[in-house]
Amino acid sequence: MPIPFHIAAATTMPSRAGQCMYAKTEELRELGPAVPVKLPEGLTAWSVVRGETVSYLLAHPDVSRDVTRAVPTYEPGEVAWLAPWIDLQNMTTKDGAEHARLRRVVVPSLTNRRIQRLRPAIEDSVHGLIDNLSRHPAGASVDVHAEYSYQVPTLVICDLLGIPAELRPEVLRVFRLVARTDDLTEAEATQLNIDLLAAMGTLIAEKRSRPTDDLTSILIAESEKEDDPLTEDELIATLLLMIGGGSQTTINLIDHALADLTRCPHARQALAAGTDPRPIIEESLRKDCPVMNLPMRWALADIDLGEDVIIRAGEPILLNYGGHGRDETINPHAEQFDPDRTEPQHLAFGLGVHRCPGSNLAILEAEVAVTLFCQAFPHAQVIGDINDYAGPTFIGNDLLELPMQLRPTHDHA
Ligand code: HEM
C-alpha cells in the first residue's frame, strides 16, 4: 500500500543542491506554510521551508520520526531511495523512550570534553593534508573538495569508529551514493542498500574478532551486554548513522566555508592571525546549511497550519532546515555571507530531542580545517562558479568538486 497523500503535488523538488535548491526554497516559501512536492519514485511529501513553521513542527507532539506509527501498512523498502532514511532501526526513526535508549549509547562519546581531546589528532591529519596540497605547483587547479574537505571528516569519522584501512574505500564508496536523489534507478537504490549492509557486516565481524577502544567496539559491547542489548539491526543502523551523519554533512560545511572565505580577504587574514573561527563557521552553517531537506517526518494526526493548509494523518513531511537560515525575517540579507554578522540564526543541527549530537565534533573539524587552510593559502581562489559544482541531491548541500587556485602563479613560496 503506497504512502498516503490527499492532494496533488503543487510542484516538483529538483534534485540539485546549491543555487537551484535555494531558488526552489524561496519559491516554496511564497507558496505557503507547507507545500505538497513531488519526490522521486512517485512519492509526494509536504515541504516546509518557513523558519517559524519548521520550528513549530519540530516541537509538535503529532509529528513523528517513525513511519510505522504514522502509516501502519507501510512495508520497509516500499520506496527504495528513502529506505536508508526511514527503514533503519536507529535513533533517527524512533520517538520517545525508544529514541532515548538508542541515543544514549553514542552521546557519551560525543560530549564536548571528549571531542576536544581529539583536537591534536585532527590538527595532525589536517597538517598532513595541507602538506599534500602544498605540493601542487603555483597556479594549478586543485580540487579542494576531493583533496581536503572530503578527507577531513572521513578521516576523523573512520578513526572515531576504528574502521580498518582496508575497509575504508568500500565504506566510503557506498556512503557517497546514499545522498543521491537524482537518477539512481530503483534497482541501483536497492543494490546500494544491500552494499551498505554488507559493508557494515564486514566491519562488525572484523571488530568482533579484534575489539579496541573505538566507537564501533563500544557499540558491539552494547550489543553483547545482558541487560537490554542493542539488537544486530540496531547495531548496524547506528553504525550507518554515525558514518553517514558524521561525514557528508561536515564535508559540506568545510566546502562552503572555504568557498565563501575566498571572497572575504579580511576574514581570511583574521583567521590566519588567530581570531576565533566559530562565528565564521556559524555564519556558513546559516547561509549554506549542510543538510537542506532531511527525510522524513510523519503526521500522527491532522495538523492545521492555517492558510488552508492541513497536513493529514499519515502524510510525510520534509523539513527544510536551510530555509530557516535563509529566511529574511530571521536573518536580514540572508543570501549574503557576512563574516561579521552578529549571532547568525540557523537550524543546521536541528532542534529538540533529535538535535545533532555530533555538532561539537563537526564544529571542531571545521574550525581546524578552515583556520589551517587560511594560514597555508591566504590567496586561494575558487575557479569558476561554485553553483556549477552542486551535487545531485535535494538532501545535502553537496558539491561534487571545488576547483581552486591555491597560490597565484607569481607565488613561488
Ligand atoms: C556540519 C555537520 C553536521 C550537520 C549540519 C548535522 C546535521 C544534523 C541534523 C539537522 C540532525 C537532526 C535531524 C533531525 O532533526 O531529526 C542531525 C542528527 C544527527 N547527527 Fe548530525 N550533523 C552534522 C555532523 C554530525 C557528526 C559529525 C555526527 C557524528 C559524529 C553526527 C551525528 C548525528 C546523529 C547520530 C544524529 C541523530 C540524532 C537523533 O536523531 O537523535 N552529525 N544532524
Side-chain angles (χ1 to χ4, degrees):
M1 151 115 185
I3 291 166
F5 212 87
H6 80 282
I7 52 172
T11 179
T12 300
M13 189 64 98
S15 269
R16 181 108 188 274
Q19 204 51 49
C20 170
M21 186 54 55
Y22 296 147
K24 193 73 192 179
T25 297
E26 294 321 308
E27 180 194 323
L28 292 165
R29 198 192 300 286
E30 292 304 310
L31 288 177
V35 183
V37 293
K38 203 158 134 204
L39 302 177
E41 291 182 46
L43 185 74
T44 305
W46 290 100
S47 167
V48 180
V49 160
R50 294 182 189 170
E52 61 181 29
T53 321
V54 173
S55 308
Y56 173 71
L57 289 176
L58 276 170
H60 201 291
D62 292 327
V63 174
S64 169
R65 278 296 246 146
D66 185 349
V67 61
T68 62
R69 290 182 69 202
V71 190
T73 52
Y74 173 78
E75 297 283 344
E78 217 167 83
V79 185
W81 72 269
L82 207 48
W85 304 98
I86 68 172
D87 289 350
L88 296 176
Q89 301 299 307
N90 62 35
M91 69 191 92
T92 64
T93 57
K94 302 288 172 209
D95 304 323
E98 279 183 287
H99 166 257
R101 169 178 163 268
L102 292 169
R103 187 170 162 116
R104 193 178 303 135
V105 180
V106 302
V107 163
S109 304
L110 296 171
T111 60
N112 200 30
R113 210 159 51 93
R114 292 288 289 271
I115 291 305
Q116 290 306 327
R117 281 193 226 147
L118 302 177
R119 182 182 283 272
I122 295 176
E123 285 176 349
D124 269 1
S125 297
V126 174
H127 277 301
L129 294 170
I130 298 253
D131 285 349
N132 291 341
L133 288 179
S134 303
R135 294 201 181 96
H136 289 282
S141 169
V142 179
D143 184 358
V144 169
H145 165 79
E147 294 195 30
Y148 193 68
S149 318
Y150 176 80
Q151 300 294 334
V152 178
T154 49
L155 275 170
V156 171
I157 204 72
C158 286
D159 286 350
L160 189 76
L161 287 158
I163 300 176
E166 65 278 13
L167 297 185
R168 291 185 183 194
E170 172 60 4
V171 168
L172 297 175
R173 179 190 74 82
V174 285
F175 276 94
R176 282 185 83 97
L177 293 174
V178 170
R180 281 185 63 169
T181 52
D182 63 338
D183 54 0
L184 215 56
T185 64
E186 199 177 330
E188 285 170 332
T190 304
Q191 184 58 46
L192 173 61
N193 293 331
I194 294 168
D195 292 351
L196 274 173
L197 297 181
M200 290 307 101
T202 314
L203 172 63
I204 291 167
E206 166 68 27
K207 299 307 282 191
R208 271 211 170 107
S209 64
R210 271 187 284 267
T212 44
D213 59 354
D214 50 60
L215 186 49
T216 306
S217 301
I218 292 174
L219 292 171
I220 289 173
E222 283 286 332
S223 73
E224 288 169 351
K225 66 181 193 184
E226 300 251 306
D227 181 25
D228 193 17
L230 281 187
T231 66
E232 200 69 5
D233 278 354
E234 289 168 345
L235 170 62
I236 292 172
T238 304
L239 281 170
L240 288 171
L241 169 63
M242 296 306 293
I243 302 170
S247 53
Q248 190 59 51
T249 50
T250 316
I251 295 167
N252 295 353
L253 170 59
I254 296 172
D255 267 339
H256 287 282
L258 291 178
D260 276 324
L261 277 165
T262 59
R263 291 188 297 276
C264 302
H266 74 281
R268 230 160 35 177
Q269 278 162 12
L271 280 180
T275 61
D276 179 8
R278 181 69 182 260
I280 301 274
I281 301 304
E282 295 292 337
E283 173 64 352
S284 181
L285 286 162
R286 179 201 70 72
K287 174 179 163 274
D288 296 304
C289 191
V291 182
M292 282 297 283
N293 295 288
L294 186 70
M296 195 59 92
R297 278 175 162 77
W298 307 89
L300 297 175
D302 290 0
I303 301 171
D304 188 344
L305 293 178
E307 299 179 47
D308 297 327
V309 174
I310 299 177
I311 298 177
R312 297 280 180 212
E315 292 180 344
I317 305 170
L318 185 66
L319 295 183
N320 180 316
Y321 291 105
H324 184 277
R326 289 186 157 251
D327 192 327
E328 283 287 326
T329 64
I330 298 171
N331 295 291
H333 314 296
E335 265 191 33
Q336 285 169 22
F337 179 78
D338 176 1
D340 300 321
R341 192 184 291 271
T342 46
E343 298 191 15
Q345 301 295 310
H346 66 76
L347 287 179
F349 293 117
L351 189 73
V353 291
H354 286 278
R355 187 181 187 281
C356 178
S359 60
N360 295 318
L361 178 56
I363 287 172
L364 173 62
E365 288 177 45
E367 285 182 349
V368 172
V370 161
T371 303
L372 296 186
F373 186 91
C374 288
Q375 283 171 359
F377 307 111
H379 304 293
Q381 290 301 325
V382 175
I383 298 170
D385 181 348
I386 187 173
N387 291 301
D388 294 339
Y389 312 130
T393 171
F394 57 75
I395 299 173
N397 216 331
D398 302 14
L399 296 183
L400 292 176
E401 56 179 318
L402 182 57
M404 281 198 195
Q405 191 187 61
L406 297 175
R407 284 171 287 139
T409 342
H410 62 265
D411 178 353
H412 299 294

